[in-house]
Amino acid sequence: YIKMKKVLAIIIIYLIFFSSSAIAGKKFKSKDIKGFKKVNISMHNKKVNRIKNVKKSDGFPVYEGNTSIQFTVNREDAGCGDGTSKDLECDGKGNRSRQELTFDREKKLNNKEHIYEFAIYFDESYVSLEKRAVVVLVQHHTQKYKQKGCHSCCNFWFADSKYKGEHQYTWQSRSANGVDPVVIGKIKDLKGKWTHIKLHILWKKDDTGRFVIYKNNEVIADLRNIKTLADTCNSGYLKVGIYRHRTIGYWNSDWESLPDQTVYYDSIVSRKPKKKEKFKNLN
């Protein structure tokens, strides 16, 4: 009887430890994130977590304060969801790899103004991908569930991809069809320094939306009279980190040559515009 109690106690401790570890592995906390209620690690199952809070005192780059968030992605980082999602459960090894944070799911965006901010730092060792691969670094993903016809893509995204013959960090949008990418900068010029991005959005399903992009507190694009919400979509959520797709070219030729990539993020903010910031007061 005593032995049985000991065995049961061990099993209970085991379950508590591993269930709490699983929860801890899914959620993520950082002083560098403000305005979000929930932050989870995307597709966290079946892969190593390479998202870390790092300190300025340890020699890591920090935009403000004492810490930043380091994201490193490896070619093996094709993870899986929690098994409850109706969306794609697993990244296909060879075609996708990611280390991302997923933020609050936002509902009823239409006709609302919102501001997102973040600072990004491309590590000196960062190498852009070839073979038509694309690296997405920040995206506002559509929330398609219970919205008939809402496609599973993005209201907007920032990516490292070839544009006009060079690897550039650009803003793009699927909702605003026909709008050219907005160049934040050439990747080679962004490495080794912080770049602060501020996005001011008027969410609209029709062509009356607006999207203003600030780079280091200067307006680099003021896109007016555009769609800012994807067709039939009225919700979404922000994702920050590294998401690599179309890496199948490496898988089919030289998988070992697909490099690790590291970027840092700091001052990730979600907020409503202040009264003086609202578009009607800026025009």
Side-chain angles (χ1 to χ4, degrees):
Y1 176 76
I2 294 175
K3 287 184 178 180
M4 181 62 71
K5 288 181 68 176
K6 288 183 177 179
V7 171
L8 288 172
I10 291 171
I11 292 173
I12 291 170
I13 291 171
Y14 180 90
L15 290 174
I16 292 173
F17 175 78
F18 280 96
S19 63
S20 62
S21 295
I23 293 171
K26 183 178 180 181
K27 295 182 179 179
F28 186 86
K29 292 184 178 181
S30 175
K31 295 179 181 178
D32 305 302
I33 299 170
K34 297 178 181 178
F36 296 94
K37 294 179 181 178
K38 296 179 181 179
V39 184
N40 291 330
I41 297 173
S42 177
M43 296 288 189
H44 62 284
N45 288 332
K46 300 182 181 180
K47 73 178 179 186
V48 176
N49 175 33
R50 306 182 204 276
I51 306 174
K52 302 176 182 177
N53 288 302
V54 294
K55 298 179 181 179
K56 185 177 182 179
S57 58
D58 291 332
F60 292 99
V62 171
Y63 179 70
E64 62 181 3
N66 300 311
T67 60
S68 65
I69 308 171
Q70 180 194 67
F71 293 76
T72 298
V73 67
N74 177 271
R75 60 182 170 273
E76 303 296 331
D77 294 341
C80 297
D82 58 10
T84 62
S85 171
K86 296 179 182 179
D87 204 350
L88 185 68
E89 287 302 327
C90 291
D91 288 332
K93 184 178 179 182
N95 194 42
R96 290 185 296 273
S97 51
R98 76 176 80 202
Q99 293 286 349
E100 289 181 295
L101 295 178
T102 299
F103 296 84
D104 306 346
R105 297 183 184 268
E106 303 163 309
K107 300 178 181 179
K108 299 180 180 179
L109 293 172
N110 197 32
N111 300 318
K112 294 182 179 179
E113 284 185 46
H114 202 87
I115 288 176
Y116 301 100
E117 299 180 46
F118 65 90
I120 185 171
Y121 181 104
F122 290 85
D123 192 76
E124 293 281 10
S125 66
Y126 182 94
V127 178
S128 295
L129 302 187
E130 302 295 339
K131 305 179 189 293
R132 299 184 65 196
V134 175
V135 183
V136 178
L137 302 124
V138 177
Q139 58 179 303
H140 194 275
H141 207 288
T142 55
Q143 176 63 21
K144 69 176 184 178
Y145 313 134
K146 299 180 182 179
Q147 295 183 68
K148 188 176 181 180
C150 178
H151 60 67
S152 180
C153 187
C154 314
N155 291 311
F156 68 82
W157 67 93
F158 290 81
D160 166 14
S161 58
K162 274 194 173 180
Y163 181 60
K164 295 185 177 180
E166 291 189 80
H167 279 283
Q168 308 202 56
Y169 187 44
T170 61
W171 169 92
Q172 300 176 53
S173 172
R174 183 165 177 176
S175 57
N177 290 326
V179 176
D180 291 335
V182 174
V183 175
I184 308 301
K186 297 177 182 178
I187 296 297
K188 64 181 181 180
D189 295 333
L190 297 178
K191 292 201 296 185
K193 61 184 179 183
W194 284 100
T195 302
H196 183 268
I197 303 294
K198 175 182 170 183
L199 315 169
H200 188 170
I201 308 165
L202 172 58
W203 294 111
K204 286 284 189 176
K205 289 184 180 182
D206 58 20
D207 295 333
T208 60
R210 188 173 175 185
F211 208 115
V212 182
I213 303 174
Y214 297 78
K215 175 185 176 182
N216 297 329
N217 297 316
E218 292 186 7
V219 175
I220 60 170
D222 187 350
L223 308 173
R224 305 188 184 207
N225 301 316
I226 64 169
K227 287 181 61 174
T228 50
L229 281 170
D231 286 338
T232 76
C233 301
N234 190 24
S235 63
Y237 56 96
L238 195 70
K239 300 181 79 174
V240 171
I242 305 173
Y243 168 48
R244 316 197 293 191
H245 69 106
R246 295 214 307 251
T247 53
I248 196 70
Y250 286 90
W251 179 262
N252 291 333
S253 58
D254 184 11
W255 184 235
E256 298 297 320
S257 70
L258 178 57
D260 288 2
Q261 291 174 307
T262 297
V263 298
Y264 298 83
Y265 289 91
D266 200 346
S267 305
I268 303 170
V269 177
S270 170
R271 64 184 179 87
K272 295 179 181 179
K274 299 175 183 177
K275 186 176 181 179
K276 63 181 180 180
E277 292 179 301
K278 290 188 176 182
F279 284 134
K280 63 182 180 181
N281 295 325
L282 293 177
N283 293 330

